[in-house]
Amino acid sequence: MTERPLRIAVLGTADIARRRVLPAMAADPDIELTAVASRDGGRAREVAAQFGCAAVESYDAVLTRDDVDAVYVPLPISLHAEWAGRALRAGKHVLAEKPLTADRATTEALLALARASGLVLMENVMFVHHPQHSVVRELVTSGAIGQLRAFSAAFAIPALPAGNIRHRPELGGGALLDVGYYPVRAALYFLGAGLEIVGAALESAEGSAVETSGAVLVRSPAGVLGQLAFGMEHAYRSAYELWGSEGRIRVEPAFTPPADHKPAVWITDAHGPRELTLAPHDQVAATVRAFVGAVRSGAVESPDAGECLEQASLLDAVRARATHAWAPRSISTSDEEGTDRDRD
């Protein structure tokens, strides 16, 4: 007997939801989009009409619907813990935008709630579902560049308008959680758990209430050093490089390729430089499929729980280590929906 599609509702109408995640969900035969919720009724109706589902003017109302098995939460970071928690307590599986929360303690509490409830709570980290990175990891593991000595990664975007949500600390804004997340997660992906934050710096552009750029130095338990850079006042860059005793591997663009992009992996070794071209891959659709698969599996542990918690610890450690002291973020319960969050 064929299982019915997983019925998903969306809390919020952020750009990343409208532009990438909702189209991927609508195209997946194992998903049925049942509702889009917004506290702006007109916005809810507009987005719901595009995807043929119900428009709801209350997040709470979505959580009481019998035709909702899971929710996707693309709200600002400051609202993730509240609404992911409410959804879990209402018996719904949750796919939440990254980072799941702004600190380890809150992330740990949410993961524990999901585990105790027998529900999937998955952080929407898309790039790890693109096979280009597993190809690179296999090359390194096979010794293609000898012993790994160093890692570097960068993700940065051009300057944003002063009123952009990423400049609002009360909503979880700032370069670290928005774009710094990617190189930090890439370091975790390639260097493994147990990373130590050796040094960090966060800087703010004039007039901004949040950090707009940063750099981090990490060290793995094996002694591999990683240099991570990020910002939101730069020429665009999305890249990483692994440097070994006998060669190096570079991927660019790395983190947010479109579905039709043919990834190129540049390898330089004893035989000289060469380019490995891979087939296009839709990492958004792959992430959505991974979420459905996790729900279908009946797993008692969310699929990325370990990495999610490790990532949260690293981000906490970056803030603690940063040479430019920043006051702890004030997390707001504002009803902002973050319609301009458009990473990925």
Side-chain angles (χ1 to χ4, degrees), residues 61-127:
V62 164
L63 301 183
T64 63
R65 292 177 66 110
D66 293 332
D67 63 349
V68 174
D69 305 310
V71 297
Y72 165 52
V73 182
L75 297 168
I77 297 164
S78 61
L79 299 178
H80 287 184
E82 175 186 357
W83 288 104
R86 288 194 187 191
L88 291 168
R89 286 187 285 272
K92 315 298 183 184
H93 303 281
V94 177
L95 174 65
E97 271 310 320
K98 62 196 167 307
L100 179 58
T101 80
D103 62 85
R104 179 192 164 98
T106 308
T107 295
E108 192 168 24
L110 274 182
L111 289 169
L113 174 60
R115 186 167 52 251
S117 305
L119 296 166
V120 170
L121 171 61
M122 181 171 151
E123 194 175 35
N124 194 32
V125 186
M126 299 183 195
F127 83 87

Side-chain angles (χ1 to χ4, degrees), residues 154-210:
F155 190 47
I157 58 174
L160 301 160
N164 188 278
I165 188 174
R166 296 171 187 82
H167 288 294
R168 298 181 61 179
E170 76 277 11
L171 294 180
L176 177 61
L177 296 185
D178 192 72
V179 289
Y181 186 101
Y182 294 82
V184 174
R185 186 56 172 261
L188 179 60
Y189 182 90
F190 287 107
L191 303 183
L195 295 178
E196 176 189 0
I197 304 299
V198 179
L202 299 173
E203 295 296 333
S204 175
E206 184 176 354
S208 178
V210 299

